[in-house]
Amino acid sequence: MVVSRNFCIMAVQCWSDILKTSKKTALICDGKRKIHYLFTDGSEMAEEYDMNTDALVSRRLRSKNNLGGQGQWRTEVGETSHNAMPSVDSDTISENSSNPLFARKDTKSSFRWRVRNISYPMDTYNVSVETAERCCIIRTTNKKYYKKFSIPDLDRCQLPLESSALSYTHANNTLIISYKKPKEILALEQELMRELRKLKGTNDGDVDCKTQ
Amino acid sequence: MATCTGWHALNCFSRKSTINLRIIFFFAVFVKMANTKVPEVRDITRIERIGAHSHIRGLGLDDALEPRQVSQGMVGQLASRRAAGLILEMIKDGHIAGRAVLIAGQPGTGKTAIAMGIAQSLGPDTPFTALAGSEIFSLEMSKTEALSQAFRKAIGVRIKEETEIIEGEVVEIQIDRPATGTGTKVGKLTLKTTEMETIYDLGSKMIESLSKEKVQAGDVITIDKATGKISKLGRSFTRARDYDAMGAQTQFVQCPEGELQKRKEVVHTVSLHEIDVINSRTQGFLALFSGDTGEIKSEVREQINAKVSEWREEGKAEIIPGVLFIDEVHMLDIECFSFLNRALESDLSPVLIMATNRGITRIRGTNYQSPHGIPIDMLDRLLIIATSPYTEKETRQILKIRCEEEDVELSEEAHTVLTRIGQETSLRYAIQLISTAGLVCRKRRGTEVQVEDIKRVYSLFLDESRSSQYMKEYQDSFLFNETQSAQMDTS
């Protein structure tokens, strides 16, 4: 147990080291602190924090693809930049607006996911933690919705997933799933926040991003 | 909005189809309803035009590389086809880099046909780049840049990449057509797995490819999200008991499990040129000033070469050397030839096939004469395949194949007359007469082209020698007839 505890601390250390070595650019606008990280392997991360509450509003990641081209931004936290009115004349395939929308929005003490636009009764849902596969699964008894998602924060720090930390409720056509943050994560986030406050942010919108 | 379900509806509304075909199609649907066996419903979504070499499907060789007299659209030229077959084996082997082959022969002896035959027998995964010698002369790009791009287009890299796909069983397809009859079609597609169900909005391109693939409710399909490519895996087992007319080749598959959208590793082939382009795009606002095409820096190319060989050593990628075909190679100038000399020495160079119809002529950019307009040092690196003029029997056979390709029926006498024309004028002229004679025949409501039809088009259209004869007789009455001294420079 002691060994695994030590191992955990090492992994947390590892991710915080990666964050420390990355090139960071800060920018403050619209009441948000925006941070751009450029990692040594060429991948990028962009985070947005609310200035008042210090809550993470959005986090996006992008990495170079196999052939060397720029990949797409993947949204990890926050709304996907999904335009509310998908253009009718688009040639390709896109999800209909009547489908449930899945997004992550964290609070201070827990990871939280919201599935909006889903109107089945409470007893339809079954959310479980798959410890072996390192993911959570939302199932519905009427076989209308299914979602498998991982918690990248825990994966990066190589922390185990626990079923006891998970809870979910349904109200106003929204299914809300919460996972209590373990104390390693809380400590890491506090440390990161202290670091980010130290970063000199410019207030101007137009600024050269020196990491690019 | 008129709403219909299924691909039958899609096809009915397809305005591209002619009335005639529509009748055939409705008849086919009727037969299908009556539950009798239909051999094959005529595919109305496929509209292909008939090109000069669209009858060529391969080199027409047997397993021992012996050429068959008539096979895969190829006739005669036995020795050159056998030679091309050996080259083909070398290409398929993929170990030899930078060999060059020259196909030389008179006009209309099947040089391009042999190259096309090689391309067809290589299959879709081996890159085959074809260009004409005059294509490399451009104001935007230097000649050598155009040539090196062509070289790199002909080298393929097979690499694994993750793509996002949607895999599920079709529950319902719904196509909405604007009431006015014009405008874009919109549609909805409902897909399900054993665990979930999702509705997708379809764009006009997706609707078209769904109808092309004849996707109906109960099919299990995958859609590549990035490219929109649809492939049908089979029919769902839950639909196995439907009494529907289906071919013997229909496969039944299980309904997929889990999420509809998955990330899957797929192997695909990209050319070195494509990798160059991806990596040469300047980032940020600079991309606005430098266009997508244009010259690619040699440093970028060197980096890519190093990266690719690294991948190859790690087993991540596989290099597929392809074929670069340069038609009318006498149009290249001395600079291009010296560049080719050097480029062929690289171990990342494809097999180069060139074709020319020139004899001893001036090398472009010099005052020296050389066979085929190619410098001697270049010729020394080449394997040369010669094509010879067709015999009467072979001409007859080619004309027959072309008639089948163009859907024209020829009577025995007309065929003999046309063969004669082909022998005395040129094969190309005789082939041109097929479609025109076919039209004349159709106008007089005949079913088979007769000698009269051939005679008529023969009198209407002059061949090259008759036209020259005419010019000689009447040149005095043409405009600018006094400027005889200025000869056209074609060498």
Side-chain angles (χ1 to χ4, degrees), chain A residues 65-206:
Chain A
N65 65 14
N66 243 345
L67 299 175
Q70 205 83 73
Q72 293 281 314
W73 283 104
R74 268 183 308 114
T75 308
E76 193 180 298
V77 180
E79 299 280 313
T80 25
S81 54
H82 200 278
N83 25 336
M85 266 280 286
S87 56
V88 180
D89 48 23
S90 73
D91 277 345
T92 49
I93 191 163
S94 59
E95 272 182 52
N96 190 272
S97 55
S98 64
N99 292 314
L101 279 172
F102 180 86
R104 179 174 149 192
K105 194 172 184 308
D106 289 1
T107 62
K108 266 252 128 79
S109 59
S110 55
F111 303 120
R112 181 166 287 176
W113 296 266
R114 284 159 187 272
V115 186
R116 292 212 191 89
N117 205 8
I118 192 163
S119 57
Y120 314 115
M122 182 61 193
D123 56 354
T124 323
Y125 311 105
N126 171 27
V127 186
S128 61
V129 172
E130 307 287 317
T131 342
E133 285 183 73
R134 293 197 62 84
C135 64
C136 305
I137 296 178
I138 310 170
R139 288 190 180 87
T140 47
T141 49
N142 59 5
K143 305 288 182 202
K144 290 289 182 193
Y145 189 73
Y146 178 92
K147 179 87 189 173
K148 204 169 170 180
F149 61 95
S150 60
I151 310 172
D153 300 69
L154 296 185
D155 290 345
R156 286 188 197 114
C157 299
Q158 294 173 349
L159 295 168
L161 274 79
E162 278 155 36
S163 318
S164 55
L166 193 79
S167 63
Y168 61 98
T169 56
H170 182 264
N172 301 330
N173 279 352
T174 308
L175 178 70
I176 301 170
I177 301 151
S178 305
Y179 185 97
K180 247 175 119 303
K181 287 179 187 169
K183 58 178 185 297
E184 289 91 343
I185 294 285
L186 286 172
L188 177 74
E189 283 181 354
Q190 268 170 10
E191 192 196 338
L192 179 68
M193 208 57 227
R194 270 200 302 276
E195 284 287 321
L196 294 182
R197 284 228 184 79
K198 276 188 233 160
L199 275 179
K200 200 161 48 150
T202 37
N203 288 307
D204 270 326
D206 281 331

Side-chain angles (χ1 to χ4, degrees), chain A residues 65-70 88 90-99 140 143-148 212, chain B residues 160-161 186 188 194-201 203-206 223 258-259 261 278-279 283 311:
Chain A
N65 65 14
N66 243 345
L67 299 175
Q70 205 83 73
V88 180
S90 73
D91 277 345
T92 49
I93 191 163
S94 59
E95 272 182 52
N96 190 272
S97 55
S98 64
N99 292 314
T140 47
K143 305 288 182 202
K144 290 289 182 193
Y145 189 73
Y146 178 92
K147 179 87 189 173
K148 204 169 170 180
Q212 219 183 29
Chain B
K160 271 192 206 135
E161 243 199 339
V186 287
K188 283 197 181 83
T194 52
E195 305 282 355
M196 67 183 291
E197 206 174 293
T198 305
I199 305 168
Y200 290 94
D201 286 331
S204 51
K205 218 185 219 167
M206 279 317 272
I223 303 169
E259 281 182 284
Q261 293 198 26
I278 290 170
N279 285 280
Q283 283 188 7
W311 287 341

Side-chain angles (χ1 to χ4, degrees), chain B residues 395-410:
Chain B
T395 312
R396 196 181 169 83
Q397 197 60 250
I398 292 169
L399 288 172
K400 195 175 153 210
I401 290 171
R402 283 306 297 186
C403 284
E404 278 162 20
E405 187 70 22
E406 294 180 23
D407 231 355
V408 172
E409 267 182 61
L410 219 57

Side-chain angles (χ1 to χ4, degrees), chain B residues 84-102:
Chain B
L86 292 175
I87 300 292
L88 182 67
E89 282 303 298
M90 185 176 85
I91 298 163
K92 277 185 180 162
D93 223 24
H95 290 305
I96 310 279
R99 285 299 164 86
V101 180
L102 176 71

Side-chain angles (χ1 to χ4, degrees), chain B residues 2-73:
Chain B
T3 304
C4 261
T5 307
W7 67 272
H8 303 286
L10 289 176
N11 279 329
C12 308
F13 295 137
S14 165
R15 258 159 274 121
K16 278 180 190 163
S17 59
T18 62
I19 302 288
N20 199 5
L21 283 171
R22 221 180 271 184
I23 292 164
I24 296 172
F25 182 74
F26 274 117
F27 176 68
V29 171
F30 173 72
V31 173
K32 205 174 182 182
M33 280 171 182
N35 216 358
T36 45
K37 197 152 186 189
V38 195
E40 199 181 40
V41 179
R42 186 162 177 180
D43 190 1
I44 59 164
T45 47
R46 187 182 139 236
I47 304 161
E48 263 179 32
R49 305 187 67 209
I50 301 160
H53 293 106
S54 48
H55 60 282
I56 308 278
R57 289 178 305 281
L59 280 173
L61 305 174
D62 60 16
D63 290 337
L65 290 185
E66 289 299 332
R68 300 192 193 94
Q69 182 61 34
V70 181
S71 172
Q72 296 186 312

